[in-house]
Amino acid sequence: MTDDLFTSLTLSETTLPNRVMVSPMCQYSCDDRDGLATDWHFQHLASRAVGGAGVVMTEATAVEPRGRISPEDLGIWSEEHTDALEGSTEFVREQGSVPAIQLAHAGRKAATARPWEGGDPLQPDDGGWETVAPTDEPYPYEEDAPPTRAMTEADLDDVRESFADAARRALDAGFEIAEVHAAHGYLLHEFLSPVTNTREDDYGGDFESRIRFPLEVVEAVREVWPAENPLFVRISATDWLPDRESWTVDQSIRFAERVSEAGVDLLDVSCGGIHPDQQVPSGGPGYQIRYGRRVREGCDAAPEELQIGAVGGITTPEQADSLVRNSRADLAIVGREHLRDPYFTLHAAQKLGREDEVDVPPQYYRANIY
Ligand code: FNR
C-alpha cells in the first residue's frame, strides 16, 4: 500500500502518528534574554500539537549563549533550561504528538536584533557579543557586524561538548527527537561551506576536512542520544551561489551518506543562508522540495535507513500528501502555514477525507473544528 500523509512512520523505536512536522521557527520570546522557555513557547508548541501535527519541533535552541541568533532566543545550556521545557514536552506528548528539539549554534550569524526590532547585527555595547565561526571574517551585513573570532581547537572542543550536553538535557526535558541544525549559514553550515570555511587546519580545505567538525558534532550527539530516539540533521542542500566555489547538492549527497553512517535517521533538507548574494530560484509552492529528492536519489544510504524531510513552501494538504505518496519525501515539514493555521493537520484530514485518522480534542469537539 502507498504511504500517505496519514501513514505512521517508525524511526528507530519512535512512531510518528502522521507525516506532518512543525518546522523549527524562532519565536524571539525569552523574557530576560536568559534563553528560558516562557508561556509563549508553551502555547506555540502546545497549540500545534492540539492541531494534530505528528512532530512538533522547537525553534533553534542554542547549545550555548554565544550561539543565539538574537538575545531573546531559546537556549538549553543549563538544568534551569531543561526544567523550563518539561511542561511543553509533556503536553505535546499528551496530545499524541512527538516532541522534538532543534539543537543549534548560530556561529557568525549570532547576535542580531529580533526581526520586529530591525534584525540588525548587535555590537557588544548594544547587547550583542563577539561571535565565533570557522573564520574571523564577519557575515557581510550592510551594517557593521559584531566582531567574529575564528574558533581555536579549544573552542571546537567546547562547542562539541555543548551540543552533547544539550542533547542530554533535551532527553531529560522529555524530547524524543533531536535535530542538529547544520543549515542556513549558521555555525555547522559555516564549516561545511567553502564560502565561509577558509581554515587551513584539519577542519578546513577539502570536503573531508570541512565536514569533519559537523560530523564530530553529530557523532557526539548520537553518542548520548539513545538508539531508540530518532536523530535528524537539517542541511542546506545548496548555498545557491553558482558563481563561486560553494556548497552544492553533490556535496550534500556525500554528506548525507556520512551522516547516515553516523546513525542519523532523517535528513531535513532546506537550502541557502550562507551569504547575502545567494540566488534563490523562487519562493513559490514547494520551492525547495526538489533538493530533498535529488539528495535521496543520489545517496547510497538505503531509504529506510535515511529518511528525507522536505521543507519550503508546503502550504496545502494536497501538496503535503502528494510528497509522501510520490516518495519525494517521508516527512512534510511545514513552517509558516503552521503560523497561519495551528490546526493544519486536522484541516488536512478533513480536506483529504481522513477524519478517522486524527483525534479532535474532546474539549473542542462541539466547535466543529473542521
Ligand atoms: C524560520 N526558519 C527556521 N529554520 C530553522 O532551521 N530553525 C529556526 O529556528 C527557524 N526559525 C524561523 C522562524 C520563522 C519565523 C520562520 C518563518 C522561519 C525556517 C523554517 O523552519 C522553514 O525552513 C522555512 O520557513 C521554509 O518553510 P515554509 O515556511 O515555507 O513552510
Side-chain angles (χ1 to χ4, degrees), residues 21-28 44 57-61 69 73 102 104 115-116 179 181-184 186 234 268-271 283-284 286-288 310-315 333-340:
M21 178 172 116
V22 177
S23 203
M25 282 180 286
C26 286
Q27 299 296 297
Y28 313 100
H44 175 68
M57 186 167 282
T58 66
E59 68 188 73
T61 306
I69 302 167
D73 280 16
Q102 188 183 49
W116 59 86
E179 172 168 285
H181 194 352
H184 302 168
Y186 298 116
R234 174 168 273 200
D268 169 352
V269 182
S270 189
C271 291
Y287 64 101
Q288 289 175 162
V311 65
I314 304 173
T315 56
I333 304 176
V334 178
R336 287 162 294 177
E337 193 58 28
H338 266 126
L339 302 183
R340 292 185 277 265

Side-chain angles (χ1 to χ4, degrees), residues 108-186:
R108 69 177 192 168
K109 284 174 75 177
T112 56
R114 47 186 169 187
W116 59 86
E117 288 168 356
D120 293 334
L122 292 172
Q123 295 299 330
D125 289 349
D126 295 329
W129 54 88
E130 178 190 66
T131 65
V132 291
T135 166
D136 56 13
E137 196 57 40
Y139 185 82
Y141 298 107
E142 281 171 20
E143 305 78 13
D144 281 348
T148 296
R149 185 165 59 74
M151 289 170 78
T152 61
E153 293 241 357
D155 291 320
L156 297 177
D157 291 345
D158 284 350
V159 170
R160 200 186 298 110
E161 209 175 304
S162 298
F163 268 96
D165 288 345
R168 261 188 226 104
R169 290 190 193 103
L171 194 68
D172 289 346
F175 289 102
E176 294 180 34
I177 295 174
E179 172 168 285
V180 172
H181 194 352
H184 302 168
Y186 298 116

Side-chain angles (χ1 to χ4, degrees), residues 5 285 313-322 332 334 337 344 348 351-352:
L5 200 61
I314 304 173
T315 56
T316 68
E318 293 82 358
Q319 207 189 350
D321 190 48
S322 84
V334 178
E337 193 58 28
F344 177 83
K351 226 170 163 197
L352 300 171

